[in-house]
Amino acid sequence: MKPAPILATLLAACGIAPQTARVQDFSALRVQVANTPDGSTLMLTGDLNDSALGIRNVRISSDRQQQTAHIIVYKTLANSQHTGQLNARFVLAHPVQRVLFGVNQQTIWTVN
């Protein structure tokens, strides 16, 4: 048994240390992107596989030059405020060609 992962999970569950979600943590993770010349709208939906966890926060950063958006989802213990259902909408001031997810920046959407 490795104490470091257990400790990290306990700290995240207490809200002391954030725990980030990976693509594999979701069932039916879906990204919809609507691009216009002036910007883009991103819709992100899905459900966490672990019913004991909820979504604490969703953050996005973007790079105008590379036309990318990077989404990070933070998990916590599920409660009335933090459910496992992901439903996030973001509006960016530039078009997006690729959407990255998580700390490992896995590509989850690219323009056709």
Side-chain angles (χ1 to χ4, degrees):
M1 184 180 295
K2 296 182 180 181
I6 294 170
L7 181 60
T9 301
L10 289 173
L11 289 174
C14 295
I16 297 171
Q19 186 178 17
T20 59
R22 300 170 299 156
V23 171
Q24 310 81 286
D25 294 335
F26 287 91
S27 61
L29 182 63
R30 183 175 171 167
V31 178
Q32 295 176 317
V33 178
N35 279 317
T36 68
D38 297 328
S40 60
T41 302
L42 284 73
M43 292 291 297
L44 189 65
T45 58
D47 293 310
L48 282 172
N49 293 327
D50 187 343
S51 61
L53 295 176
I55 296 169
R56 181 178 187 159
N57 193 10
V58 182
R59 296 201 179 181
I60 189 168
S61 60
S62 66
D63 185 320
R64 180 182 294 271
Q65 281 188 313
Q66 294 188 7
Q67 295 186 329
T68 60
H70 181 204
I71 297 167
I72 296 182
V73 175
Y74 295 92
K75 303 181 293 184
T76 190
L77 287 178
N79 59 38
S80 62
Q81 293 178 345
H82 303 107
T83 69
Q85 187 173 33
L86 176 62
N87 189 6
R89 179 179 181 268
F90 301 100
V91 177
L92 300 175
H94 61 84
V96 172
Q97 300 292 317
R98 188 168 54 133
V99 177
L100 309 170
F101 188 89
V103 293
N104 62 351
Q105 297 190 14
Q106 183 175 349
T107 299
I108 58 172
W109 182 88
T110 56
V111 70
N112 292 334

